[in-house]
Each structure stands twice: as structure tokens, then as C-alpha cells.
Amino acid sequence: MKVDIIKIGNSKGIRIPKALIDTLGLEEAVEIEIVEGKIVLSPLTKVRENWEEAFRADPPAKDEGLLMGEAPNEFDHSEWQW
């Protein structure tokens, strides 16, 4: 599909046909990147989207604790007031 580059203020842009916007589920914003010399537009994903389902699918092990264990230092013994 051919689209013309148009002037938008001091910039240039293209009009994306409504049918493409609807097909891709684009809303108010898109992710734009260059991949192998091509401009790729993707629907903008929400931060942490689907995390809840991922955590339910892989619950933490019962013995899961600190990965590094405790890391005491000189401050803990000499400077800290309990």
C-alpha cells in the first residue's frame, strides 16, 4: 500500500488508514522502532501487563529466600544503633 509523506508543521508524517489501525488494535500511541532498515509500528503495551497471570502460573517456591543471603558490613556492627 502506498501512502504519501505529508508536511505536519515543521515535521513530516504519514496517514495510516483506519482499516490498518483497527486491524492492529492501535489506540492513542504506538511503539516505533527501526528493524533491519524498516520502520515497525507496534501496539503500545502497558507496563507490567500480564504479570499477574505469569506469577500465578509460576508461584514462588516455599524455600525461596534472599538470593544473596545477608551481606553484613562494618557499618552494621559499629555504626548502627538498635
Side-chain angles (χ1 to χ4, degrees):
M1 172 183 303
K2 177 189 172 283
V3 294
D4 293 325
I5 296 175
I6 59 173
K7 185 173 171 136
I8 303 173
N10 290 331
S11 300
K12 293 189 177 189
I14 60 168
R15 289 188 186 104
I16 302 171
K18 184 178 183 320
L20 290 178
I21 290 173
D22 292 344
T23 300
L24 294 174
L26 302 178
E27 293 180 10
E28 306 237 344
V30 296
E31 190 75 32
I32 186 169
E33 60 185 329
I34 297 176
V35 177
E36 297 178 8
K38 297 177 183 174
I39 297 172
V40 177
L41 300 176
S42 306
L44 190 62
T45 57
K46 294 179 181 161
V47 177
R48 298 181 186 96
E49 186 175 30
N50 301 323
W51 279 22
E52 188 171 344
E53 293 85 14
F55 285 128
R56 283 194 186 125
D58 186 21
K62 289 183 181 180
D63 62 345
E64 195 171 292
L66 295 175
L67 296 176
M68 294 177 46
E70 291 189 32
N73 55 49
E74 188 59 36
F75 175 81
D76 291 337
H77 299 292
S78 62
E79 300 288 330
W80 188 252
Q81 298 289 323
W82 290 98

